[in-house]
Structure formats: structure tokens, C-alpha cells
Amino acid sequence: MKRVLSLVLALCMVFALVACGGGSSTTTTGGGSASTSTSSGGSSESKPARGNVIWTFGTADTGGSMYPAGAAVSQTWTNNVQGMKCNTQTSTGSFQNVQDVAAGEVDVAVATADVVLNGYNGTGKFADIGALSNIRVIGAVYTSVLSGVTLKSSGLKYIHDLQGKRVAVGPASSATENASLAAFNVMGITKDNTSLENLGLGDGADAVGDGILDAAFGFAGLPIGGQLNLAATKDIAVLDMTDAELDQVLANNAAYIKTKIPAGTYTGVDYDCQTFGVKCLIIVQDSADEDLIYDLCKALNEGAADMAAGNALLKDMTDPTFLCTQMPIPLHPGAERYYKEIGALG
């Protein structure tokens, strides 16, 4: 009888231990609100391990700069942030990405600062959609620059020479189309007097090489992949802007900055071209978990040198202040906390 009683007591103790210690990790596939961090820094409190976090990262078409930038960041996060798995997804670009993040269709995305600002305020192409005030920035990855190319044999030298020609302006509602039209608007180039075609950056450059179009634009980090490929097989020219034209574009668009396409960016192009650009930003929803965003920003900053070594497009990221300053909309609280801790923000 004593032996039976002892066995019963032992079994009871086993069941009690299992009931008390049977916790499991949490898996999240959205904004990460159920996750906790093990590497957030600045806190002596011990936190449980984060469960698996599976995010989708919206980029753009493969012929531009958003796709390789997004792929590099996704891989850095997957390799260095505990519990994180990040998958890249192509899109038509910034306009779609801002909407997709705001709606929760993707968890994170890249978009140019001008489009992000319009989306946040509900202006420009977002006027019929309304303000998407739930988007936040967690960092910048590179500067997008407007670059228009043509075949050298065309004799075209300036963007204003394109009136009446056949021109690729990027996917519909993309940052490339937005920037191209900003330039065209001050030069009197419209869809009524010029054939404006919505093609991806790679397809647009290919169409120029094949003689189907006269010029193709991209609004991305330099060098733009599709245009670089074109310059490797054809003699190209990069289209310039006058001082007056550039000043007018900047006066009309607060998010743009004056820049240039340096000589040597593309094979055979030995002169500088005036143009304008804008920061390309990583955006998330404001509801994304603060500790997770802190860890993503930490990995972004600490992995910047390795990412830049693999892709010169990302060289600006090696300056922590580039990651977090001159933002058109608020930083996510997790991002703000991290950048303040490392002294990149005042």
C-alpha cells in the first residue's frame, strides 16, 4: 500500500512540474506585437526569447535599386535578429508600398521620402485615398536620383529635348513616374505632346537599347541596374537639366534635394549631369513592436558596413546620422530610442 501511495505522489509531482514549466515561444506574422526582445539594450530586465517573426518586405521591380537594397536588409535582419525571418516581395514601387504597409498587406517596405510624405499627409496621388497616418520610418538606405538615359546616336542632350519623343517613365504610380513628371511639368512635357510609357526600370532601358523608345528614366540609387546594363552594350548619353529647370523642380517639391550624376557612373559617360534626388526610406506601421523595431535598427546600423561592401548603393548607410535624420514623417518609437542611445539623434 505504501509503495502505491509513493508512486501516486511521484506522479503528482511530475504533472505539477509540467504544468508550471510548459511555456512555448510565440510566432508572429504581422507587426510583431506579440514578440519580445533579447537584445534591445538599455535595460537590465531579463526578457523571454522572442518567438519566430515572419515578415514580408515590399521592394520594387528587379531592374531598379529598391529590390537589391531590400534584399540586403532582409538578409541582414534574418541573419542577425533573433527569431526574425524576412522575405522580399516585388511591387510597382513606392506608391504601392506605402499603401501596402498602411493596410498591413506587407510588414515593411522601402519607399522614397516624397511619396512617403504624400502618403502620410494624403496629398498628391494619395488625395483620393486619404492620409495614411499610421506609417512610420525606421531608417534610410540610400538616395534615389532621377537618371534619364538615351542612346548617344539620338543626339538628345537635355531632358527638355524629349518633347514629342517616346519615353519610359517607370511603372504606373511609382517613384520614378512621380519624379519624371515633376521634371516634365516645368518643361512643358505632357502625355498630350509626348508618348509616356509605364515600364519597369529594366524593361525601359532594354526598350531604349532595342530602338523602341528614345529615352528611359529611373529614380533610384546610382548606378541604376537597368541603365548600367544598357551602358555595357550600347553607347549611351545621360540627360541633363538647366539650372533654371532644376531650381523650379526643387521649388515645387519640398522633399527633393539638388544632386548630380557624376562622370563615370555609366560606361562611356565622361561628364556630370545636374539632377535631383531624395532619400529612400524603410517604413513600417506605427503599431509594430517597439523592441523588435529597436533590434532591427541595431542590426541595420551594425550591418551597414558589410551591406555597403556588397553593394556600393548602400554606402550612405555607414553614417548613422544618414539612417535617422532629415525624415519627412516621424520615426517609429523603437527606432527613435535606438538612434538616441547611440548618439545619432539629439
Side-chain angles (χ1 to χ4, degrees):
M1 184 67 179
K2 290 181 179 179
R3 185 176 300 170
V4 172
L5 182 59
S6 297
L7 179 59
V8 170
L9 289 173
L11 289 172
C12 288
M13 291 177 67
V14 170
F15 289 139
L17 288 170
V18 171
C20 292
S24 61
S25 62
T26 301
T27 299
T28 62
T29 56
S33 59
S35 66
T36 52
S37 171
T38 59
S39 58
S40 293
S43 173
S44 60
E45 180 184 351
S46 177
K47 298 182 179 181
R50 176 186 294 124
N52 294 329
V53 180
I54 304 173
W55 269 18
T56 300
F57 196 129
T59 58
D61 72 83
T62 57
S65 301
M66 286 184 177
Y67 184 84
V73 172
S74 293
Q75 192 62 52
T76 294
W77 286 346
T78 298
N79 291 345
N80 296 283
V81 178
Q82 187 268 323
M84 169 61 75
K85 170 66 175 175
C86 199
N87 302 305
T88 54
Q89 175 176 295
T90 59
S91 79
T92 57
S94 294
F95 184 68
Q96 178 185 342
N97 289 346
V98 171
Q99 293 179 81
D100 284 352
V101 168
E105 295 295 326
V106 298
D107 304 287
V108 59
V110 283
T112 56
D114 54 333
V115 179
V116 170
L117 179 61
N118 284 342
Y120 185 79
N121 291 328
T123 56
K125 288 181 177 293
F126 295 89
D128 294 334
I129 298 171
L132 304 178
S133 57
N134 65 334
I135 58 174
R136 295 291 184 272
V137 177
I138 67 172
V141 284
Y142 62 86
T143 302
S144 280
V145 174
L146 185 70
S147 175
V149 297
T150 184
L151 296 182
K152 187 177 292 186
S153 59
S154 71
L156 302 170
K157 297 185 181 299
Y158 287 88
I159 294 176
H160 61 238
D161 293 332
L162 295 177
Q163 184 167 324
K165 305 297 184 180
R166 303 159 298 171
V167 184
V169 294
S173 299
S174 65
T176 294
E177 183 184 51
N178 199 51
S180 299
L181 295 181
F184 293 171
N185 285 342
V186 305
M187 302 172 191
I189 298 174
T190 70
K191 64 181 181 180
D192 295 324
N193 59 33
T194 304
S195 178
L196 305 181
E197 304 292 337
N198 288 121
L199 292 174
L201 277 59
D203 290 341
D206 289 344
V208 171
D210 294 337
I212 299 170
L213 298 179
D214 298 297
F217 282 84
F219 193 55
L222 297 175
I224 297 174
Q227 298 182 0
L228 191 66
N229 292 338
L230 177 63
T233 59
K234 303 284 185 178
D235 291 331
I236 72 164
V238 178
L239 298 168
D240 207 350
M241 301 178 67
T242 67
D243 290 336
E245 290 166 346
L246 183 55
D247 289 344
Q248 188 59 52
V249 170
L250 299 179
N252 294 343
N253 301 271
Y256 292 150
I257 56 175
K258 182 182 292 188
T259 186
K260 66 180 180 179
I261 303 169
T265 299
Y266 299 107
T267 301
V269 181
D270 57 1
Y271 53 89
D272 293 346
C273 280
Q274 293 197 113
T275 187
F276 57 91
V278 71
K279 279 189 174 183
C280 188
L281 310 177
I282 305 175
I283 56 172
V284 296
Q285 280 194 8
D286 56 3
S287 60
D289 180 71
E290 184 174 328
D291 285 335
L292 175 60
I293 297 301
Y294 180 106
D295 287 352
L296 296 180
C297 292
K298 184 174 188 291
L300 200 65
N301 180 45
E302 294 181 353
D306 286 340
M307 285 189 281
N311 188 342
L313 166 71
L314 306 177
K315 64 183 183 299
D316 289 339
M317 291 178 63
T318 58
D319 175 4
T321 61
F322 175 82
L323 292 171
C324 59
T325 59
Q326 296 180 308
M327 295 301 166
I329 69 169
L331 286 165
H332 187 281
E336 185 175 12
R337 176 160 62 94
Y338 173 73
Y339 294 125
K340 282 184 175 179
E341 283 188 13
I342 65 170
L345 276 179

